[in-house]
Amino acid sequence: MTGVILPTNDTTQSPAHPGKPTGLTATASGVTNSIDVAWPDVSAGAASFEILRSTDGVTYAWIANNAAADVTYTNTGLAWETQYYYKVRALQSGAYSELSAADDATTIAEP
């Protein structure tokens, strides 16, 4: 997983890792410097989700955790007119899924 900052205990995936999240979308808000991230709940066995963000599409860092039933996240307080990339992965009993495909959005210009 090149370019992804992982927890130090995440060196391998467990054989019982949860399903990979799919269908990730990132959409810039039309009125604030925020981006809405969403994905359908198709990750079998997920207890929670980790949301990761990048400004270059290569190096991702963790920004938030969501409960399994919460498949949306609003990333607020972002820089104006900046492109952000997002990925999500599921977590179950200490095992991580593969990362979702990335999606990106660009925040609006400062009003």
Side-chain angles (χ1 to χ4, degrees), residues 25-50:
T25 60
T27 308
S29 166
V31 293
T32 66
N33 59 336
S34 64
I35 294 177
D36 296 320
V37 182
W39 58 97
D41 189 7
V42 296
S43 299
S48 63
F49 293 98
E50 289 189 346

Side-chain angles (χ1 to χ4, degrees), residues 1 13 18 20 24 32 34 41 44 53-55 59 76 84 104 109:
M1 290 189 222
Q13 288 185 345
K20 173 182 176 178
L24 177 76
T32 66
S34 64
D41 189 7
R53 182 183 68 206
S54 172
T55 55
T59 303
T76 60
Y84 292 93
D104 67 281

Side-chain angles (χ1 to χ4, degrees), residues 26-96:
T27 308
S29 166
V31 293
T32 66
N33 59 336
S34 64
I35 294 177
D36 296 320
V37 182
W39 58 97
D41 189 7
V42 296
S43 299
S48 63
F49 293 98
E50 289 189 346
I51 300 100
L52 297 97
R53 182 183 68 206
S54 172
T55 55
D56 63 8
V58 176
T59 303
Y60 287 81
W62 171 89
I63 57 168
N65 281 2
N66 273 19
D70 190 3
V71 292
T72 62
Y73 175 75
T74 300
N75 195 184
T76 60
L78 300 171
W80 301 102
E81 295 184 83
T82 303
Q83 185 174 24
Y84 292 93
Y85 301 83
Y86 295 88
K87 290 185 178 184
V88 173
R89 64 181 175 181
L91 176 64
Q92 175 67 38
S93 300
Y96 293 95

